[in-house]
Amino acid sequence: MTNFTVPAPKLNTGAVIPGVALGCAVGFTEEDIIGSKAWFLTAIKAGYRFFDTAQVYGTEQTLGDAIRESGIRREEVTVLTKLA
């Protein structure tokens, strides 16, 4: 496996965010949304720290549950969400 560094651009607020995000649209059935937690936990274990979700995806709660369950500090994760 090749190691590489993910670019981390600095925003005008001074915040630094990872340059690669995991999209959190998984489908719209209740089964898809509930099952997404395992997917998010796998992504966190693989090193993802930036998640792009939206209210319409319905995955904000399961993403939050996965982040809490993962044991990583919330400050290490960036969550981008969009309102309907």
Side-chain angles (χ1 to χ4, degrees):
M1 181 161 81
T2 303
N3 290 331
F4 62 92
T5 302
V6 174
K10 188 173 187 178
L11 304 178
N12 63 353
T13 63
V16 177
I17 61 170
V20 177
L22 179 76
C24 296
V26 298
F28 295 100
T29 69
E30 186 175 347
E31 183 179 357
D32 291 336
I33 293 168
I34 291 169
S36 68
K37 185 167 92 169
W39 185 48
F40 299 145
L41 284 167
T42 299
I44 292 167
K45 185 176 180 180
Y48 278 90
R49 295 296 183 267
F50 187 14
F51 297 89
D52 180 6
T53 188
Q55 186 178 36
V56 70
Y57 301 165
T59 56
E60 292 168 315
Q61 181 66 49
T62 53
L63 176 58
D65 293 344
I67 292 167
R68 280 187 291 281
E69 191 174 310
S70 74
I72 64 169
R73 296 176 339 135
R74 175 60 183 90
E75 295 79 14
E76 296 178 36
V77 180
T78 300
V79 177
L80 170 72
T81 192
K82 296 158 296 283
L83 301 175

